[in-house]
Amino acid sequence: MIRSREIGIGVALVVLLATAGCVGFLTGSEPLGFAANATEVDDATLEETGYRLAESRSPNSTQNVTVAGQTRQVVVSSELRRYNRTVTLAEGVEGEFARVTVFTSPAATVAGTSVNPIGSLSDERLVRRFVGASSAMSDVRFRSNRSVEYLGDSRTVAEYTATQRMGGVETNATIHLATVEHDGDFVTVVAVHPEAVDERSRIDALLAGLEHPPA
């Protein structure tokens, strides 16, 4: 197994894979692995914005790819960080309803075929993938785009509105979505909070505080 961002299968590369100890991938007895570097918000930004790290994990997914007419397995290792902030939704209803998910996955290809669907998904499908089905969210609608400086460049952040149940209360929610390719990985950020709570400046600060990979 090797960890590389782009693998094209040719005679020279077959020899290289074999000498690198990846005979198992060529023969189909072992998967080929791709791993992302984590993306995290720096500590100073977390302190400034009032967010805290609530979840950190490294999810894996296994996919089948076709190489020279043969089906082979690829294991994609991603990195997920979730940050929460306690906000007041309504009188007597308080909780960690402001949430930011940072998902980093390798922008890898095998024989010209992408093994990561993130790069080809529309913003709306990304929203539904990360916060839709599992969070009682409905009526997702695009609102506007804005530019935010993060990961070394000015990048587009899309904003959506939706309806979501939070703390047992159905409320209007705001979603912020940003996804970019950076240093061989896709970095996707999805922030969700009650519409009544103005989190835009905090979300923009969190984006500006992203480090990929962490220092």
Side-chain angles (χ1 to χ4, degrees), residues 6 23 31 43 49 51 54-55 63 69 75 83-84 94 97 114-115 117 124-125 162 171 187 202-203 207 210-211 214:
E6 184 174 354
V23 176
D43 292 340
T49 58
Y51 277 78
E55 183 179 5
Q63 302 179 35
V75 177
Y83 302 91
N84 295 347
E94 185 180 85
F97 302 129
S114 174
V115 297
E124 184 173 349
R125 290 185 66 187
T171 187
V187 179
R202 287 188 173 89
I203 300 304
L207 286 167
L210 290 176
E211 296 180 336

Side-chain angles (χ1 to χ4, degrees), residues 4-213:
S4 178
R5 302 296 177 176
E6 184 174 354
I7 300 295
I9 302 300
V11 175
L13 187 58
V14 167
V15 175
L16 174 62
L17 288 174
T19 57
C22 296
V23 176
F25 174 72
L26 296 174
T27 62
S29 62
E30 290 183 7
L32 183 65
F34 296 92
N37 288 313
T39 306
E40 298 179 353
V41 181
D42 67 70
D43 292 340
T45 302
L46 291 178
E47 184 174 356
E48 172 193 343
T49 58
Y51 277 78
R52 69 172 187 87
L53 180 63
E55 183 179 5
S56 175
R57 58 189 177 91
S58 304
N60 293 336
S61 64
T62 301
Q63 302 179 35
N64 291 326
V65 297
T66 300
V67 178
Q70 302 296 314
T71 300
R72 297 291 184 264
Q73 281 194 332
V74 173
V75 177
V76 177
S77 300
S78 303
E79 295 289 339
L80 183 145
R81 304 292 185 267
R82 181 168 289 118
Y83 302 91
N84 295 347
R85 189 175 87 87
T86 300
V87 298
T88 300
L89 178 61
E91 186 174 352
V93 183
E94 185 180 85
E96 293 186 335
F97 302 129
R99 302 173 181 176
V100 178
T101 300
V102 182
F103 185 78
T104 313
S105 53
T109 61
V110 174
T113 300
S114 174
V115 297
N116 188 335
I118 294 296
S120 61
L121 295 180
S122 66
D123 283 358
E124 184 173 349
R125 290 185 66 187
L126 284 170
V127 168
R128 295 187 182 281
R129 180 186 182 99
F130 285 103
V131 297
S134 62
S135 57
M137 183 173 288
S138 60
D139 197 24
V140 178
R141 298 184 181 184
F142 174 77
R143 174 185 281 165
S144 62
N145 285 328
R146 67 182 185 278
S147 295
V148 178
E149 188 84 17
Y150 72 98
L151 293 180
D153 206 349
S154 179
R155 306 181 186 279
T156 299
V157 179
E159 190 170 307
Y160 293 79
T161 61
T163 302
Q164 185 180 18
R165 293 195 67 82
M166 298 181 181
V169 177
E170 186 170 85
T171 187
N172 292 329
T174 300
I175 305 163
H176 308 261
L177 171 69
T179 184
V180 297
E181 186 173 350
H182 183 262
D183 286 352
D185 291 328
F186 288 116
V187 179
T188 302
V189 181
V190 182
V192 183
H193 60 85
E195 189 176 63
V197 179
D198 185 4
E199 286 290 288
R200 179 181 287 188
S201 62
R202 287 188 173 89
I203 300 304
D204 290 354
L206 289 169
L207 286 167
L210 290 176
E211 296 180 336
H212 172 245

